[in-house]
């Protein structure tokens, strides 16, 4: 379901009003920067408008201006931020935006910055309705069950739009209207400029209302209209944390609906969260408690979860990731991860590789069918194919100043509890003895033993811990050995 399935009508410019305080969020973060479903609120609005191919995008910034501008630079560097020093109302904001692009003519989309559920289809339909009717201004509307706090659409007996009245300025009859202003407008730049020049502050808030531009154009005899949104969810604003949670849930529901339509099994939609920027393919299975965030993709037949968070990861066909937290990891086809592992950026598991339980990896390539099954840290390393990294192995990559890398060849057997002190290379087919601290390269096919020899001090327990349960157990064992003739002398030995 790409928004671009049907050709999207173009507009000359997009204006996003994003200077408002967002007081009800009670946040140090500007309202439009609050994230949901993988984008900021502002990011969602810009993404919805993007396919309209506007040559100019203006974002009016005010509250939290520095942060909003910095964010814009990152997500939409070609957008022009226009400062609004005092928040004198949405009409004032729109007028400033148009004043910043004095040469702009043609169709302009003006949209509130706090409409994270707005979709391209909805905006495109509005632009189309606007063009078809030859209007000077067309407003997106919706019939809602609870219009509280929203501007009401006042229509004539013949159905034509006459005015938008804010709730606090509305008569009781107008308050009863359930068709509301979505805060999304398409207008002719010249008509908008002219109307915004003439709006006043004669309202309950003493603000310059963008919505008054519509009434002024009606009085001019200019053609205006209202187009209802097909899905009333699209027009929902976001003013406080409760609404933020609701919008997040709605966005998530939409994404999961799409995935399920595409053939993804979502075992528990209530606890599965997928960003709009993430994706999963047919026959992928998302177990309860799964989060697919950022640019994460999950290939056909892969199983993710339960209780797994993937940020900017790629999961290959038939792979499985159980109860793990992975950032920027590329998990190849048929690879397995978890339970309880932490894959950090630069981790790359090739086909059939395994990262088992309680393993942390970072900047590492694990070759085909190689395994890191238990309790290990693997950083800055390349592991060839068919190798096994024994339990509790640590790739010692940091000397306190700089990071160094380790190379492990094909079909290597790293013994349990090996410290591989980088930089170091272990050649193809080599072994390391359990408990070794490997500080020099190991040639192909060698067995590296780097640990103290074992010394057994015979009879130590009997002498030094007399009367203890250990001494009694030892005495009993000696007794048994004596009758059976076994040798437990405890001579020093290797391995
Ligand atoms: C606005 C509409 C209302 C509509 C509702 C939909 C007006 C007067 N009313 O009400 O009819 O039903 O949206 O959600 O527009 N802004 C600025 N500078 C300002 C003031 C506002 O940039 O000085 C921006 C805000 O950041 C926001 C948008 O304009 O994105 C709307 O302003 P807001 O004050 O939130 O209006 P609402 O009360 O939501
Ligand atoms: Ca609002």
């Amino acid at each position: 379901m790409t928004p671009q399935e049907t050709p999207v009508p173009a507009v000359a410019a997009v204006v996003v009003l994003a200077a408002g305080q967002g007081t009800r969020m009670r946040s140090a973060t500007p309202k439009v920067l609050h994230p949901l479903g993988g984008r900021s609120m502002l990011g969602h609005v810009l993404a919805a408008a993007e396919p309209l191919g506007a040559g100019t995008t203006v974002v009016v910034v005010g509250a939290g201006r520095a942060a909003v501008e910095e964010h814009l630079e990152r997500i939409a560097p070609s957008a022009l931020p226009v400062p609004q020093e005092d928040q004198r109302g949405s009409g004032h904001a729109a007028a400033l935006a148009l004043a910043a692009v004095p040469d702009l003519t043609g169709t302009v989309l003006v949209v509130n910055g706090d409409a994270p559920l707005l979709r391209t289809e909805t905006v495109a339909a509005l632009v189309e309705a606007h063009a078809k009717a030859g209007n000077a201004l067309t407003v997106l509307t919706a019939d809602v069950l609870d219009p509280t706090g929203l501007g009401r659409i006042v229509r004539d007996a013949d159905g034509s739009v006459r005015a938008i009245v804010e709730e606090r300025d509305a008569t009781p009859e107008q308050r009863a209207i359930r068709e509301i202003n979505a805060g999304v407008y398409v207008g002719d730049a010249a008509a908008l400029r002219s109307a915004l020049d003439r709006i006043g502050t004669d309202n309950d808030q003493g603000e310059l209302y963008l919505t008054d531009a519509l009434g002024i154009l009606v009085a001019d005899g200019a053609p205006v209209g209202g187009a209802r949104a097909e899905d009333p969810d699209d027009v929902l604003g976001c003013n406080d944390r409760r609404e933020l949670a609701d919008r997040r849930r709605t966005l998530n529901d939409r994404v999961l609906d799409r995935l399920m339509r595409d053939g993804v099994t979502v075992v528990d939609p209530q606890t599965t969260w997928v960003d709009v920027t993430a994706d999963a393919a047919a026959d992928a299975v998302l177990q309860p408690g799964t989060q697919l965030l950022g640019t994460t993709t999950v290939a056909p037949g892969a199983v993710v979860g339960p209780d797994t968070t993937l940020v900017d990861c790629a999961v290959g066909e038939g792979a499985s990731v159980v109860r793990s937290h992975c950032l920027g990891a590329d998990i190849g086809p048929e690879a397995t991860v978890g339970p309880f592992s932490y894959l950090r950026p630069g981790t790359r598991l090739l086909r059939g590789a395994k990262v088992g339980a309680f393993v942390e990896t970072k900047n590492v390539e694990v070759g085909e069918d190689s395994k890191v099954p238990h309790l290990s840290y693997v950083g800055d390393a390349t592991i060839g194919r068919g190798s096994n990294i024994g339990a509790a192995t640590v790739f010692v990559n940091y000397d306190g100043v700089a990071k160094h890398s380790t190379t492990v060849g094909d079909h290597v057997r790293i013994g349990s509890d090996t410290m591989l002190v980088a930089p170091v290379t272990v050649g193809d087919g080599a072994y390391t003895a359990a408990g070794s601290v490997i500080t020099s390269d190991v040639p192909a096919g060698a067995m590296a033993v780097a640990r103290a020899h074992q010394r057994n001090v015979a009879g130590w327990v009997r002498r030094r811990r007399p009367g203890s349960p250990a001494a009694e157990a030892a005495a009993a064992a000696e007794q048994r050995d004596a009758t059976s003739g076994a040798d437990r002398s405890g001579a020093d030995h290797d391995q």
Side-chain angles (χ1 to χ4, degrees), residues 10-15 49-58 78-80 101 104-105 107-109:
V11 294
V14 171
V15 170
E50 217 256 343
L52 302 183
T56 305
T57 298
V58 180
S78 64
L80 174 69
V101 283
L104 177 81
T105 57
T107 306
V108 182
L109 168 72

Side-chain angles (χ1 to χ4, degrees), residues 24 31 112 114 239:
R24 284 171 284 169
K31 175 162 86 169
N112 286 356
D114 63 350
N239 297 298

Side-chain angles (χ1 to χ4, degrees), residues 271-294:
T271 63
T272 302
W273 293 87
V274 181
D275 279 351
V276 298
T277 45
D279 203 9
D283 288 323
V285 177
L286 307 183
Q287 299 283 9
T290 291
Q291 290 176 288
L292 306 183
L293 308 181

Side-chain angles (χ1 to χ4, degrees), residues 219-351:
D220 286 352
V224 306
R228 284 186 171 83
E230 229 170 78
D231 181 349
D233 278 351
D234 270 51
V235 310
L236 294 171
C238 185
N239 297 298
D240 56 31
R241 308 276 182 159
R242 175 73 254 167
E243 289 181 351
L244 180 60
D246 290 347
R247 304 300 169 260
R248 179 175 283 126
R249 171 66 66 189
T250 305
L251 261 180
N252 195 55
D253 286 347
R254 283 179 175 178
V255 172
L256 295 186
D257 282 350
R258 167 171 63 83
L259 293 185
M260 290 188 275
R261 266 201 310 277
D262 289 352
V264 175
T265 294
V266 180
V267 175
D268 181 14
Q270 288 300 307
T271 63
T272 302
W273 293 87
V274 181
D275 279 351
V276 298
T277 45
D279 203 9
D283 288 323
V285 177
L286 307 183
Q287 299 283 9
T290 291
Q291 290 176 288
L292 306 183
L293 308 181
T295 59
T296 294
T297 56
V298 179
V303 180
V304 180
D307 299 329
T308 292
T309 298
L310 304 180
V311 185
D312 300 336
C313 291
V315 180
E317 273 192 49
S320 114
V321 187
V322 179
R323 287 187 209 281
S324 290
H325 192 91
C326 308
L327 314 171
D330 184 345
I331 297 162
E334 310 295 335
T336 63
V337 176
F340 306 110
S341 279
Y342 180 30
L343 273 50
R344 293 167 52 204
T347 296
R348 187 153 176 257
L349 310 188
L350 302 192
R351 177 177 288 278

Side-chain angles (χ1 to χ4, degrees), residues 393-410:
T393 291
V394 174
F395 284 60
V396 184
N397 61 336
Y398 187 49
D399 60 14
V401 179
K403 297 283 172 66
H404 302 281
S405 44
T406 299
T407 304
V408 173
D410 297 340

Side-chain angles (χ1 to χ4, degrees), residues 17-20 60 84 87-90 93 112-114 150-151 164 166 181-183 185 209-211 237 239:
L17 309 181
V60 185
Q84 184 192 25
Q87 278 71 63
R88 293 168 56 199
S90 54
N112 286 356
D114 63 350
L150 296 167
I164 303 171
E166 293 306 300
N181 167 27
Y185 319 81
Y209 284 169
L210 169 55
T211 46
N239 297 298

Side-chain angles (χ1 to χ4, degrees), residues 165 183 207 276:
V165 182
E207 282 189 2
V276 298

